[in-house]
Amino acid sequence: MNVLESVFHYTNVTRYLSGAGLVALIYDHILTLPSEISLIWPAPSSYAKYIFLFNRYLVPASLLTIAWEMNHFAGTPLLNETCRNMFSAIAMLSVLSLGMANILVLLWVVNLWDKSRTIAWMLTIGFIISTGTSSSLMIASLVELGESVSFSPVFSMCILTKTTPKLIVVWAAPMVFEIIVLVATWWNALSVPREANMPLRSALHRDGVTFFMALTLLRSINISLASTRRPELVVIAVFWVWSMTTLILNRSLLRLQRAENLQLVLNDLIDQELPPHRRSQSRQTYSDYEMAVDPRHSMELWDTKYTLTGEEVQSYRLGYRGTSNYG
């Protein structure tokens, strides 16, 4: 296989991987849209809520723009300047998206530690260092690679003709923060064994460890490809990794919101069904929740625990039955 055939092959692989990631992300977005509407939309206004929604829609929009360019839907050759502007914009949006995702993760772990100031400061410092390093080196990489981004009539897409070792650090820097978060999650799971079985804490541990293991694997792919120093390989999996990272993050956060809603309802049930001296003990483990509530409610509670919505929880806490059928 000569050089031209090799580049053509890798260019097509980039197209197919990017398309596969986009299709998977949009398909998952459709599947989880009912959960988003029921769990996120009714939630009180907060920075976390709007960051989640902004990032959830930013990534598909960015990837659709990339698909439009990669598949030459414009029909006419793009100007080199257009390619460079698009490349720079998408690169910085990916860093922004990663930063927003890590903010959500930071809040996630701080809640796991019951808003510990020590953990909050530790994670904030790790976030600032990793995000600052990644952002500054991405800007430096874009300046260095600016002239190497151009439209290729042969491949009918914008291509990169050289690379830089700075991109290795761009992908590796966020892993510092992610390793800190993973250690904090494991440490919490080991240091608080009984409370780890509560619905929300259990979900934080389970989804946290799974999310960061998957994220580390995905980021390792980008680092490995960037380490080859071959321009045709540097971006081959970048957009697929971006899609998969966003998909996993969105699903994890939606599951956490559902677990939080469940825990609120269970706390209310315990407060209503048990005398004060038994309430704190009954909140120690997940199984105690089920035994603590009136048997008349138990079956309906556990049958519907994965369909609880923010509106149902709110109406229940206000003393109304709404659509939850707990009474």
Side-chain angles (χ1 to χ4, degrees):
M1 184 182 295
N2 60 40
V3 175
L4 185 61
E5 289 177 339
S6 175
V7 173
F8 187 79
H9 169 74
Y10 288 124
T11 300
N12 281 334
V13 172
T14 303
R15 282 194 177 106
Y16 295 143
L17 277 178
S18 302
L22 175 60
V23 170
L25 184 61
I26 292 178
Y27 178 67
D28 187 74
H29 194 117
I30 294 171
L31 290 180
T32 56
L33 186 60
S35 294
E36 176 195 326
I37 294 171
S38 63
L39 295 170
I40 306 300
W41 291 11
S45 296
S46 66
Y47 289 119
K49 173 181 177 178
Y50 295 121
I51 289 173
F52 172 80
L53 290 173
F54 182 70
N55 193 57
R56 182 167 163 84
Y57 288 89
L58 168 69
V59 179
S62 300
L63 292 172
L64 281 169
T65 303
I66 293 165
W68 173 84
E69 180 275 321
M70 279 190 174
N71 293 282
H72 197 42
F73 291 148
T76 56
L78 297 178
L79 297 175
N80 289 341
E81 189 65 26
T82 302
C83 283
R84 290 164 191 157
N85 291 338
M86 186 179 299
F87 182 80
S88 298
I90 293 299
M92 293 311 300
L93 283 175
S94 68
V95 173
L96 173 64
S97 172
L98 174 64
M100 290 189 294
N102 281 344
I103 289 174
L104 294 173
V105 168
L106 188 154
L107 296 173
W108 168 355
V109 179
V110 169
N111 283 333
L112 180 63
W113 281 93
D114 298 323
K115 297 182 172 60
S116 165
R117 295 187 66 180
T118 302
I119 297 297
W121 274 108
M122 181 180 72
L123 292 176
T124 300
I125 292 171
F127 170 78
I128 292 172
I129 293 173
S130 64
T131 304
T133 302
S134 183
S135 300
S136 59
L137 285 177
M138 178 61 84
I139 293 172
S141 298
L142 291 174
V143 172
E144 182 178 341
L145 299 176
E147 296 302 317
S148 66
V149 179
S150 61
F151 183 83
S152 169
V154 176
F155 304 113
S156 299
M157 64 181 287
C158 300
I159 62 170
L160 188 67
T161 57
K162 74 173 187 177
T163 185
T164 171
K166 294 183 181 70
L167 289 175
I168 301 173
V169 186
V170 168
W171 305 131
M175 293 181 71
V176 175
F177 172 76
E178 289 150 13
I179 290 172
I180 294 173
V181 171
L182 183 58
V183 170
T185 304
W186 269 335
W187 181 16
N188 185 271
L190 294 173
S191 63
V192 196
R194 287 185 61 80
E195 290 186 0
N197 290 324
M198 294 172 66
L200 179 57
R201 193 177 295 276
S202 178
L204 284 164
H205 288 151
R206 181 187 63 249
D207 291 335
V209 172
T210 303
F211 172 72
F212 287 109
M213 290 180 67
L215 197 61
T216 300
L217 176 62
L218 290 169
R219 206 170 309 286
S220 297
I221 296 173
N222 276 341
I223 294 171
S224 299
L225 291 171
S227 299
T228 65
R229 305 291 300 277
R230 295 174 60 181
E232 67 273 20
L233 292 179
V234 166
V235 296
I236 194 170
V238 166
F239 304 120
W240 179 81
V241 168
W242 192 10
S243 301
M244 294 300 101
T245 300
T246 304
L247 187 156
I248 294 170
L249 175 70
N250 289 342
R251 279 196 166 267
S252 296
L253 292 173
L254 287 171
R255 281 197 295 267
L256 289 176
Q257 185 61 51
R258 191 181 300 279
E260 183 176 0
N261 287 4
L262 170 62
Q263 188 164 307
L264 290 173
V265 170
L266 293 174
N267 285 344
D268 278 352
L269 286 173
I270 287 175
D271 288 342
Q272 291 181 20
E273 299 291 344
L274 295 180
H277 69 278
R278 288 187 56 197
R279 290 174 188 170
S280 60
Q281 182 179 4
S282 296
R283 291 195 179 123
Q284 295 302 308
T285 66
Y286 198 119
S287 59
D288 284 342
Y289 274 110
E290 185 175 10
M291 294 186 294
V293 299
D294 189 311
R296 293 171 301 172
H297 302 317
S298 297
M299 186 59 68
E300 293 177 354
L301 174 66
W302 296 103
D303 283 349
T304 61
K305 68 180 179 180
Y306 293 117
T307 58
L308 295 172
T309 67
E311 292 175 331
E312 288 171 336
V313 172
Q314 185 177 12
S315 67
Y316 187 86
R317 291 181 67 80
L318 291 173
Y320 299 101
R321 293 309 182 198
T323 60
S324 57
N325 297 318
Y326 291 141

